[in-house]
Amino acid sequence: MNHEAQEHGMNMKRAIVTGSSGFIGSFVCHDLLDKGWQVTGIDSMNDYYDVALKRARLARLEARNGFSQIEDKIEAPGVLAALFDQQRPEAVIHLAAQAGVRYSIENPRTYFEANLGGTFELLEAARAHPPQHMLLASTSSAYGANTQMPYRETARADHQMSFYAATKKSCENIAHSYAHIYGLPITMFRFFTVYGPWGRPDMAPFKFTRAILNGDAIDVYNHGDMQRDFTYVTDLVQALGLLIDVAPSLNAPPLENDSLSPVAPFRVLNIGNSETVQLLDFIRAIECTTGKTATQNLMPMQQGDVPATWADASLLRALTGYVPQTDIQTGVTAFVDWYRDFYKA
């Protein structure tokens, strides 16, 4: 790197993105790089799903200037502390977690270690070197048994339905305590069924598309009587990019229906499309794009799952002026096109 490039690098804002080779994490890294940030990612590259897909995402990032990645577990003691000490980031976007509602029933320890242990290590590292803003991923699953739709951030969320959701809600509570004690500005964002190109193979859009293209049957839970607030990945990433500059502050007057804590620079925020899509309509969008009809195995509701999710995104709009709006057919078409290209299907 020449002297001019070194000086430029010193003036660049620095971000740490955990889970940087993941589906959402890789998109977030690209977005930050597009905006001139220096990005350091960390990812364990575990084999929960196809590592080759993670490697392909990483290869695209490593081809870009301003990006570097550490391959390690965030829950490993001292790893994040050393990274924060070296980087002193202005922003942190924490996406690394063991994901998946159903897998948490089979392997709860993985969720305990990665989600709770990893978030603890992150907050300890941030306590030593406080960033200007930390955005930590939570989930719509945190609303659990709450049936008041659309979900509003100020609604009670006390009855999580899966261990995955329980770990993420616990992370919200732990993060609030750190925000209160150490003055760390933290936004916990609850996202709603994110989908799009480079998506995870364990999620319905990927599984349905693969099965339909292969002529295999798909499992449709709760006999298809399910609704989701599907959020296209670049909509989520755009919202996060805008939120980086909207750190919560105790000095800021709260907005209407604000979830801003009365005792900490801490806020919970929904990121969703603010509309529900019937699962059967989502399947029809895949059928329309592929030109093939799905064979459906109608199944009962799975343990830990919820029949519907629906985001109230009015707080996001009030803070950033933005609300995700990619319609389901546009998003599904983009995913199927990517899938066919990537897998030569």
Side-chain angles (χ1 to χ4, degrees):
M1 181 182 290
N2 61 35
H3 179 67
E4 183 180 345
Q6 284 181 327
E7 285 191 345
H8 180 63
M10 291 174 63
N11 294 328
M12 293 170 71
K13 290 192 289 186
R14 297 171 302 278
I16 290 176
V17 178
T18 71
S20 46
S21 292
F23 167 37
I24 298 169
S26 62
F27 274 91
V28 168
C29 289
H30 281 293
D31 183 61
L32 290 170
L33 291 166
D34 289 344
K35 294 171 179 172
W37 287 72
Q38 179 181 316
V39 180
T40 303
I42 181 167
D43 201 296
S44 68
M45 307 297 281
N46 68 38
D47 61 358
Y48 169 62
Y49 63 82
D50 184 14
V51 177
L53 179 56
K54 298 180 182 182
R55 294 285 177 199
R57 295 188 192 119
L58 176 59
R60 295 174 69 239
L61 285 168
E62 289 182 328
R64 303 196 57 176
N65 292 328
F67 178 81
S68 60
Q69 176 159 300
I70 295 168
E71 190 168 324
D72 213 330
K73 293 183 176 181
I74 60 167
E75 64 267 32
V79 169
L80 287 173
L83 183 58
F84 272 65
D85 186 52
Q86 178 192 47
Q87 294 295 323
R88 309 293 174 98
E90 283 88 0
V92 174
I93 300 182
H94 176 43
L95 291 153
Q98 179 58 60
V101 168
R102 289 152 195 162
Y103 189 65
S104 70
I105 297 170
E106 304 164 21
N107 293 277
R109 182 176 296 278
T110 308
Y111 291 75
F112 179 81
E113 293 171 350
N115 299 3
L116 292 171
T119 300
F120 168 75
E121 292 292 333
L122 181 88
L123 293 167
E124 279 289 285
R127 176 163 71 96
H129 302 292
Q132 294 173 7
H133 194 186
M134 300 178 69
L135 295 102
L136 278 59
S138 187
T139 173
S140 60
S141 298
Y143 288 105
N146 190 329
T147 57
Q148 292 182 322
M149 299 280 181
Y151 293 146
R152 179 172 285 175
E153 296 90 343
T154 51
R156 295 188 64 171
D158 298 331
H159 305 110
Q160 284 72 51
M161 306 274 278
S162 68
F163 189 66
Y164 162 68
T167 62
K168 299 299 276 186
K169 183 61 169 64
S170 298
C171 287
E172 292 184 8
N173 296 338
I174 294 167
H176 180 269
S177 72
Y178 271 74
H180 168 63
I181 296 169
Y182 304 112
L184 295 173
I186 296 175
T187 297
M188 300 287 318
F189 57 97
R190 294 173 176 166
F191 49 70
F192 286 67
T193 316
V194 185
Y195 74 107
W198 299 93
R200 294 202 332 249
D202 63 315
M203 294 188 70
F206 198 112
K207 291 195 291 189
F208 288 171
T209 298
R210 178 174 55 198
I212 290 169
L213 287 173
N214 290 341
D216 300 327
I218 61 174
D219 292 336
V220 180
Y221 293 99
N222 204 35
H223 303 279
D225 186 16
M226 298 182 75
Q227 301 172 46
R228 288 291 181 268
D229 193 331
F230 287 98
T231 310
Y232 191 62
V233 63
T234 55
D235 286 347
L236 169 65
V237 170
Q238 185 169 343
L240 290 177
L242 294 168
L243 284 167
I244 286 178
D245 295 325
V246 191
S249 169
L250 278 173
N251 299 322
L255 302 165
E256 185 180 358
N257 297 316
D258 201 345
S259 61
L260 183 68
S261 167
V263 295
F266 176 94
R267 177 184 277 121
V268 174
L269 191 70
N270 291 334
I271 303 180
N273 246 42
S274 299
E275 64 179 38
T276 58
V277 175
Q278 291 285 347
L279 181 59
L280 295 179
D281 289 336
F282 187 83
I283 294 169
R284 275 191 280 272
I286 299 175
E287 291 175 327
C288 179
T289 306
T290 60
K292 298 189 175 186
T293 302
T295 302
Q296 300 181 20
N297 290 330
L298 299 180
M299 312 277 284
M301 177 73 84
Q302 281 214 323
Q303 255 189 323
D305 218 340
V306 294
T309 62
W310 183 9
D312 181 332
S314 57
L315 182 55
L316 173 65
R317 183 189 297 111
L319 289 167
T320 66
Y322 177 74
V323 173
Q325 54 193 348
T326 301
D327 68 89
I328 202 71
Q329 189 62 64
T330 300
V332 165
T333 299
F335 172 76
V336 172
D337 288 348
W338 166 81
Y339 181 95
R340 283 178 147 158
D341 179 66
F342 188 79
Y343 291 102
K344 310 305 176 191

